């Protein structure tokens, strides 16, 4: 298996008003986006070309939305990228850029 193109841990993943996990994982690898629980169980996944990632106008700076298989998920990542060598989730902006890059879209 190839090295993931994007990975984030400690991500809160929600669907509508319901929280699915508070410490989940988001991974882009081999052309697929995967949303995982903190235990590594799959919540949802899809080819990255079929995923739409965006910044909702009503959300905080650390949130992004991802439409995966017709379901909209709200992801709470980080407001800023962590300092080099420090743990923590990457920023929501970096997630959106990673989805667009993996899908071959230019922004």
């Amino acid at each position: 298996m190839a090295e993931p193109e994007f990975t984030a841990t400690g991500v809160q993943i929600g669907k509508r008003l319901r929280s699915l996990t508070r410490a989940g994982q988001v991974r882009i690898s081999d052309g697929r986006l995967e949303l995982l629980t903190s235990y590594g169980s799959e919540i949802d996944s899809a080819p990255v070309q079929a995923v739409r990632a965006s910044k909702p106008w009503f959300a905080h700076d650390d949130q992004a939305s991802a439409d995966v298989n017709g379901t909209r998920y709200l992801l709470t990542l980080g407001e800023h990228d962590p300092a080099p060598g420090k743990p923590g989730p990457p920023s929501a902006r970096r997630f959106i850029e990673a989805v667009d890059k993996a899908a071959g879209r230019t922004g």
Side-chain angles (χ1 to χ4, degrees), residues 22-97:
R22 291 182 178 202
Q25 302 172 44
V26 177
R27 186 170 44 207
I28 299 174
S29 181
D30 297 328
R32 288 190 72 78
L33 171 84
E34 298 175 296
L35 302 177
L36 308 168
T37 67
S38 57
Y39 299 109
S41 300
E42 185 176 293
I43 295 171
D44 208 344
S45 70
V48 76
Q49 291 87 358
V51 174
R52 194 178 78 201
S54 61
K55 176 81 177 94
W57 63 270
F58 58 84
H60 295 282
D61 287 339
D62 62 349
Q63 294 180 325
S65 70
D67 292 341
V68 182
N69 296 323
T71 303
R72 178 166 293 166
Y73 295 95
L74 185 62
L75 311 175
T76 304
L77 294 113
E79 193 167 330
H80 305 286
D81 288 329
K86 299 288 184 184
S91 69
R93 175 189 50 77
R94 198 164 125 221
F95 164 71
I96 294 167
E97 290 171 356

